[in-house]
Amino acid sequence: MVSGDSGPLATALAQFHAAADRLGLDDDLRQILASCKRELVVHFPVRMDDGSIRVFTGYRVQHNLARGPGKGGIRYHPAVDLDEVKALAMWMTWKAAAMGIPYGGAKGGVRVDPKSLSLGELERLTRRYATELAPIVGPQEDIPAPDMGTDAQVMAWIMDTVSMHQGYTVLGVVTGKPPAVGGTAGRVEATGRGITYILEEAVAWCGLPRDGLTVAVQGFGNVGSMVAILLSQRGYQVVAVSDSSGGVYDGTGLNIKALVELKQKGAPLSQASGDHISNQELLELPVDILIPAALEGQITSQNASRVQARLIIEGANGPTTPEADCILKENGVTVVPDILANAGGLVVSYFEWVQDLQSFFWDEEEVNERLSHIMRRAFREITSLAERGRMTLREAAMVLAVSRVAEAVRLRGLYP
Ligand code: GLU
């Protein structure tokens, strides 16, 4: 994030208040929706491999639970802090509402670089963090999932830890698990797959020619690498990708399969052959479509005017600051917002939870078909609202989401 622009929490709040203004939301509802219902901060010790003890800080924030149990990932990253987790929890509330899925919004995180831990340390940290969260998570209360720095193995440990405490297996406490222990088909690919559905819709909506479109993807984790693979399989020219070490560029299209193999060997993209670029340079490349799929606060007032892409599809949560949004709007760049574009992970997490509760599992075809239906429906609802109200897609997505959450709060009324 570049100084002068909003941090993640200020970004999330500015987006909310803009939607609240448009909806003419009264001050009471505004107060409720602008605050996070529950914020848990835990400091917990973990025994490291060398026998020493390290105290880590973890968070779980539940923003709003009016529409259902909390839902949202757990992030392991050295920059995690309470404000970031609060912002991410808010975005989950809006994301679930925009998709029409019966969840509230939550998010968790541990301030740690998971790459610096051994497998044993990662497991002990996860099991202790899961124990600290136990009082506020559960299939009917709050259901974590993977996010940056966590994966299916981490989810299996969380499920097992909660199950050990309960005395029986509780599959529905967490999603994004391996299929062998209550995970669903298609969850690993879900966020990337959802982005490709939305990208197809957005290309048609913007009137871009389908053939020969060039794409740059920032971030090569679960989301970025999956998007790059799926888009290159569908005939798009993925010309640039990056990870935290930097990026590679080839104007004629990269060999994504080779880059994935390199990453699987544990090497950073800075060791890939080809023209090396920085993460900032990637955002400013002459491409048709830009997919930021890394951290928040990447497209700011400092670089937004140099973005050459016609279409931005937000794979990350909160990659564009409000200041940048204004510049992009003026320059005629279409931004498909995070709460629409990257909702595929959440949607398939919902399918996983439903399957776990029913102990009845679907095949991947059914998962993908239902994912496509929900995401394309949300795209149509949001674009038609944007057209009717002369709004950007973010403004329309937020208006739709906030109105749904506000309606739920209103209908439930105030307790006591
Ligand atoms: N971490 C993902 C997100 O930001 C998925 C959350 C979930 O599946 O609950 O949307």
Side-chain angles (χ1 to χ4, degrees):
M1 220 267 306
V2 180
S3 67
D5 279 26
S6 316
L9 185 55
T11 292
L13 285 170
Q15 292 168 351
F16 162 67
H17 284 297
D21 289 346
R22 275 206 163 72
L23 287 162
L25 223 60
D26 62 52
D27 283 347
D28 298 343
L29 268 171
R30 221 181 251 264
Q31 248 191 89
I32 294 172
L33 297 183
S35 22
C36 290
K37 176 196 169 75
R38 188 173 282 134
E39 301 166 14
L40 176 72
V41 183
V42 288
H43 306 284
F44 56 94
V46 176
R47 194 173 301 282
M48 308 306 281
D49 288 347
D50 65 4
S52 68
I53 281 173
R54 246 179 90 187
V55 174
F56 292 89
T57 301
Y59 308 88
R60 184 76 187 171
V61 172
Q62 296 165 354
H63 166 239
N64 184 284
L65 307 181
R67 298 183 66 261
K71 189 83 191 81
I74 287 173
R75 176 172 293 196
Y76 288 176
H77 190 276
V80 164
D81 64 20
L82 184 59
D83 276 359
E84 183 191 41
V85 179
K86 284 167 71 170
L88 291 163
M90 275 191 185
W91 284 320
M92 291 309 300
T93 304
W94 313 137
K95 200 183 294 187
M99 290 297 123
I101 283 180
Y103 283 140
K107 201 82 173 199
V110 178
R111 200 175 171 88
V112 60
D113 176 5
K115 286 184 229 128
S116 71
L117 302 180
S118 71
L119 196 65
E121 289 168 342
L122 189 68
E123 178 172 355
R124 290 193 293 281
L125 175 140
T126 299
R127 287 186 182 279
R128 180 60 189 252
Y129 171 62
T131 304
E132 301 290 342
L133 293 193
I136 63 162
V137 298
Q140 308 303 337
E141 291 141 320
D142 179 3
I143 307 128
D147 196 79
M148 197 177 284
T150 59
D151 59 12
Q153 175 61 78
V154 171
M155 298 306 118
W157 288 327
I158 294 174
M159 185 275 282
D160 184 70
T161 302
V162 172
S163 299
M164 287 298 120
H165 292 178
Q166 290 289 325
Y168 53 86
T169 299
V170 188
L171 293 182
V173 67
V174 63
T175 60
K177 303 179 295 296
V181 285
T184 179
R187 177 60 184 85
V188 176
E189 301 83 0
T191 310
R193 199 177 289 284
I195 289 172
T196 63
Y197 295 150
I198 291 297
L199 184 143
E200 273 170 24
E201 296 285 335
V203 163
W205 189 69
C206 292
L208 293 178
R210 166 71 180 75
D211 290 330
L213 288 174
T214 55
V215 186
V217 184
Q218 186 199 40
F220 212 63
N222 171 264
V223 179
S225 65
M226 201 52 75
V227 166
I229 293 168
L230 293 171
L231 289 181
S232 58
Q233 283 170 355
R234 281 169 170 71
Y236 292 87
Q237 258 184 303
V238 181
V239 297
V241 296
S242 67
D243 63 12
S244 56
S245 74
V248 274
Y249 174 68
D250 181 341
T252 63
L254 293 163
N255 180 348
I256 300 299
K257 206 165 153 260
L259 295 172
V260 169
E261 278 162 16
L262 180 85
K263 286 291 281 188
Q264 274 165 354
K265 284 185 209 138
L269 288 178
S270 57
Q271 284 175 24
S273 52
D275 290 346
H276 288 265
I277 52 171
S278 69
N279 262 291
Q280 284 305 310
E281 284 165 340
L282 181 141
L283 301 173
E284 300 170 16
L285 287 173
V287 290
D288 298 305
I289 304 170
L290 174 62
I291 307 181
L295 277 169
E296 51 282 357
Q298 296 300 299
I299 305 174
T300 67
S301 58
Q302 308 293 306
N303 59 10
S305 60
R306 293 194 297 276
V307 167
Q308 299 187 59
R310 297 261 313 273
L311 181 58
I312 297 177
I313 312 269
E314 294 187 335
N317 294 311
T320 312
T321 66
E323 294 83 351
D325 260 337
C326 289
I327 298 169
L328 295 168
K329 184 178 177 178
E330 264 170 39
N331 291 351
V333 180
T334 300
V335 180
V336 184
D338 44 11
I339 62 170
L340 169 60
N342 73 30
L346 169 70
V347 172
V348 176
S349 273
Y350 168 58
F351 297 160
E352 179 172 333
W353 179 76
V354 167
Q355 293 170 78
D356 286 342
L357 296 185
Q358 300 185 339
S359 289
F360 177 72
F361 290 86
W362 319 341
D363 59 29
E364 187 168 351
E365 213 184 331
E366 185 168 357
V367 169
N368 292 343
E369 221 167 85
R370 288 178 188 264
L371 171 66
S372 167
H373 171 75
I374 289 182
M375 295 208 66
R376 292 183 205 272
R377 180 185 66 192
F379 186 87
R380 279 195 307 276
E381 286 172 343
I382 289 164
T383 45
S384 77
L385 190 58
E387 285 162 8
R388 275 184 279 132
R390 296 184 188 286
M391 289 181 265
T392 64
L393 295 182
R394 187 186 319 281
E395 288 161 352
M398 284 297 293
V399 163
L400 182 70
V402 172
S403 68
R404 284 178 176 167
V405 181
E407 188 191 2
V409 171
R410 232 184 259 123
L411 285 168
R412 290 182 66 150
L414 209 60
Y415 173 87

